């Protein structure tokens, strides 16, 4: 049974940092594209970042490039999203995702097979 459990969300001030974690069970991170989406109420989920270790590919949305870093720990089967220089526009529910077919070759589509329950990030000015 596949399960993705996020943690690490919270409230920070503009310019602050947070690291989100996603503990994965049920599939091997080396063989899946993994990543992060975010969503604010009333809007569609937007892809933040993904990575595919077998293809050696990583993608960052333009609005986070240079500020966020995606990584994984295969021993812990955990995905991370290090977020720096946060601003109020980053306020959203953040979801980790996984899919065995997507290649992480460009902008992320919301059709990923597996989703976590989400963790809230709130950035105040």
């Amino acid at each position: 049974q596949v399960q993705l459990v996020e943690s690490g969300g919270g409230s920070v001030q503009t310019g602050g940092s947070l690291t989100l974690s996603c503990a994965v069970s049920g599939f091997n991170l080396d063989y899946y594209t993994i990543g992060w989406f975010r969503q604010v109420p009333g809007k569609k989920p937007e892809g933040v970042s993904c990575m595919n270790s077998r293809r050696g590919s990583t993608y960052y949305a333009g609005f986070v490039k240079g500020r966020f870093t995606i990584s994984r720990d295969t021993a812990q089967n955990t995905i991370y999203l290090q977020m720096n220089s946060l601003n109020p526009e980053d306020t959203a529910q953040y979801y980790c995702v996984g899919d065995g077919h997507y290649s992480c070759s460009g902008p992320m589509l919301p059709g990923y097979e597996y989703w976590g329950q989400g963790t809230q990030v709130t950035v105040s000015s």
Side-chain angles (χ1 to χ4, degrees), residues 1 16 21 41-42 61 64 68 70 72 83-84 91 104 107 112 120:
Q1 182 180 356
S21 302
V64 302
F68 292 10
I70 190 172
R72 81 198 198 287
M83 306 186 296
N84 298 324
T91 295
C104 187
Y112 277 66
Q120 178 68 33

Side-chain angles (χ1 to χ4, degrees), residues 7-21:
S7 60
S11 298
V12 296
Q13 292 189 323
T14 297
S17 299
L18 283 174
T19 300
L20 305 183
S21 302

Side-chain angles (χ1 to χ4, degrees), residues 5-73:
V5 180
E6 301 98 334
S7 60
S11 298
V12 296
Q13 292 189 323
T14 297
S17 299
L18 283 174
T19 300
L20 305 183
S21 302
C22 176
V24 177
S25 57
F27 67 80
N28 189 313
L29 302 185
D30 285 339
Y31 298 100
Y32 275 62
T33 289
I34 54 176
W36 295 87
F37 276 82
R38 69 186 189 184
Q39 187 175 25
V40 297
K43 292 192 175 182
K44 295 180 181 179
E46 58 180 357
V48 176
S49 179
C50 62
M51 68 184 306
N52 183 299
S53 299
R54 277 207 304 175
R55 293 176 177 267
S57 59
T58 306
Y59 165 83
Y60 292 97
F63 53 80
V64 302
K65 209 171 278 188
R67 301 188 297 127
F68 292 10
T69 304
I70 190 172
S71 62
R72 81 198 198 287
D73 181 332

